[in-house]
Amino acid sequence: MTSNTPQKPSRSDRLKPVELVGLSGVMALFVGLTILLTTREIMLSVIALGITFIVVLVVIAMFALNVKPDEAERNDLDEQDHGH
């Protein structure tokens, strides 16, 4: 593979965002159902579900930003910065 050929992301790399949004959805659904079963108020449950989804998504994004790139990622970023 030459340096001009872009590297295709693996299937795991492509599905990572879907996994993170899915995890956020599952956690939000858990909170929403818990509130629905305890209070029997649908609107309160929907509001809690939405708030939980957004908060968990933001927290996961902040954790993802905190991860340091490994050597291969640093080389890829350097190639993108300096052109081919």
Side-chain angles (χ1 to χ4, degrees), residues 50-72:
I51 290 172
T52 304
F53 179 77
I54 292 169
V55 168
V56 171
L57 203 57
V58 168
V59 168
I60 290 173
M62 296 311 256
F63 282 138
L65 285 173
N66 197 26
V67 174
K68 294 187 185 227
D70 61 359
E71 187 63 33

Side-chain angles (χ1 to χ4, degrees), residues 29-42 44-45:
L29 191 63
F30 174 76
V31 170
L33 285 175
T34 302
I35 291 178
L36 179 65
L37 293 174
T38 55
T39 63
R40 305 278 192 227
E41 291 191 31
I42 294 175
L44 181 63
S45 174

Side-chain angles (χ1 to χ4, degrees), residues 10-11 13 41:
S10 67
R11 184 173 187 208
D13 291 339
E41 291 191 31

